[in-house]
Amino acid sequence: MDVEGLRTFVAVAETGQFQAAADELGISQQAASKRIAALERHVGVTLLVRTSRGSRPSLDGQVFLPHAKKVLGAIKQAEQAVRPGGRPLRVDVLHRRISPAQAVYRFYRSHPEMELDAVTLSTENAAQAAQAVREGTVDASFRALPADQVPAGVSAERLLDAPLELLVGPGHPLADAPCVRPADLAGHRIWIPGIRPGTEWAAFYQELSTAFGLSIDALGPNFGDEALMDALADSVSLATLVGSGDRYLWPRTHDLRRIPLHDPTPVYPHMLLSRSGDQHPVLTALRAHLRTAGPRTPHDVWVPEWVGPADNGCIGAGS
């Protein structure tokens, strides 16, 4: 069934005149008549009765009219749903405690009028998340993905660097250090439970280990963040790495210490993945926010060789 024929029928029924309906639709009266004739042939009944004073729906037309309006209303809703800005921006932040989630939350706090949905594709690796962006499952994702692995139709912008910090208990030998060099961590056990082979963060920590001679492992069961905090508090040798913008909570009695890493500063490069050419206004605003809000990435950055250059406005995750 021709949608324009339905639209013309509703316009004639409401205005009572072919010429008035044609003017409203921006077509000629002859074109309007042809549309109605085609529609009537399609449904097999006369929908409009022409009189000397204009046109009105026939009995069949009166029955048909509310259904035609519903169809046109559904079409309008469908168009609005996919129009840029017509629905919330769907963003994958990977994990709700880490810096991308915190950055998106700060963006929302500063732009409460903008609609977005934050989701966590925590079981997908970077390549799978990029494919989800390409297929439209999500509009954007924050991942560390080599440039040669970004699929066609997806853009990757390095807009959110997360400087790493050492997290230790009060009995650790480095607990009172104001800052630590990555090389100084050689010989200390760094435990990051939950690292899965084949993920981008596994590749990142493998290169970090190789570059500075570190012992980073994920041995043992992962009982969650709270269990990790408990283990750190009770240990004089165990340490872990967190992003400066990551949000972790622990009891005051744990007295855990977050110690910045410098000379150089290892950063986890969260790249904003989005469909090429996506004009969703919330995505545009989020991109601008990430480029301008907060302090810049430290000058002494270390990243793996496979990481592309930072955007000129790349911000630190602790902003």
Side-chain angles (χ1 to χ4, degrees):
M1 185 176 294
D2 180 43
V3 173
E4 295 306 321
L6 285 179
R7 190 168 284 118
T8 304
F9 165 69
V10 171
V12 174
E14 290 182 340
T15 63
Q17 300 284 339
F18 268 78
Q19 186 59 60
D23 292 342
E24 180 180 301
L25 298 173
I27 59 176
S28 67
Q29 182 176 341
Q30 183 181 18
S33 297
K34 288 182 178 180
R35 288 182 180 180
I36 295 300
L39 180 61
E40 289 178 330
R41 285 196 301 272
H42 180 81
V43 297
V45 297
T46 298
L47 296 174
L48 292 168
V49 177
R50 295 155 179 81
T51 69
S52 59
R53 291 179 295 179
S55 298
R56 58 177 175 79
S58 65
L59 290 176
D60 288 322
Q62 294 175 37
V63 173
F64 187 72
L65 181 59
H67 298 291
K69 288 182 176 180
K70 286 182 180 179
V71 170
L72 294 177
I75 291 172
K76 182 178 181 180
Q77 289 179 343
E79 292 172 344
Q80 290 177 339
V82 296
R83 187 172 296 131
R87 58 171 178 78
L89 183 76
R90 188 171 171 84
V91 185
D92 163 43
V93 295
L94 181 59
H95 191 296
R96 297 194 187 279
R97 290 189 186 274
I98 65 175
S99 55
Q102 303 308 311
V104 171
Y105 177 63
R106 289 192 296 272
F107 165 74
Y108 177 72
R109 287 286 300 272
S110 62
H111 300 80
E113 76 285 357
M114 294 191 175
E115 297 186 61
L116 59 83
D117 290 331
V119 300
T120 55
L121 302 181
S122 55
T123 60
E124 282 81 359
N125 61 27
Q128 292 167 331
Q131 191 63 29
V133 170
R134 181 182 182 184
E135 294 172 353
T137 304
V138 294
D139 297 299
S141 179
F142 288 91
R143 300 291 172 136
L145 190 64
D148 61 356
Q149 294 182 23
V150 178
V154 174
S155 65
E157 302 166 274
R158 186 175 149 198
L159 294 174
L160 184 62
D161 280 351
L164 296 188
E165 295 179 339
L166 187 71
L167 183 63
V168 297
H172 194 279
L174 299 174
D176 295 324
C179 62
V180 175
R181 297 184 309 157
D184 294 336
L185 299 180
H188 295 275
R189 185 195 174 196
I190 301 173
W191 186 40
I192 307 180
I195 297 177
R196 298 198 311 274
T199 58
E200 67 268 30
W201 50 93
F204 173 86
Y205 285 118
Q206 179 58 53
E207 289 219 21
L208 182 66
S209 299
T210 302
F212 299 101
L214 308 185
S215 175
I216 299 177
D217 67 62
L219 300 176
N222 179 15
F223 288 106
D225 297 331
E226 289 74 13
L228 173 60
M229 304 299 125
D230 293 343
L232 293 172
D234 293 337
S235 176
V236 297
S237 61
L238 196 61
T240 195
L241 295 173
V242 296
S244 63
D246 297 354
R247 188 175 185 179
Y248 293 96
L249 302 176
W250 54 81
R252 184 184 297 272
T253 54
H254 278 16
D255 193 22
L256 301 186
R257 318 290 176 83
R258 298 182 72 140
I259 305 169
L261 298 181
H262 291 299
D263 193 23
T265 299
V267 300
Y268 193 92
H270 295 284
M271 298 184 188
L272 179 66
L273 306 180
S274 61
R275 287 186 299 282
S276 301
D278 191 338
Q279 298 299 313
H280 196 297
V282 180
L283 177 62
T284 300
L286 174 61
R287 186 182 290 115
H289 174 84
L290 293 173
R291 284 178 174 149
T292 60
R296 297 296 186 261
T297 296
H299 69 281
D300 62 337
V301 164
W302 176 91
V303 293
E305 293 183 357
W306 47 263
V307 174
D311 183 275
N312 289 335
C314 186
I315 68 170
S319 60

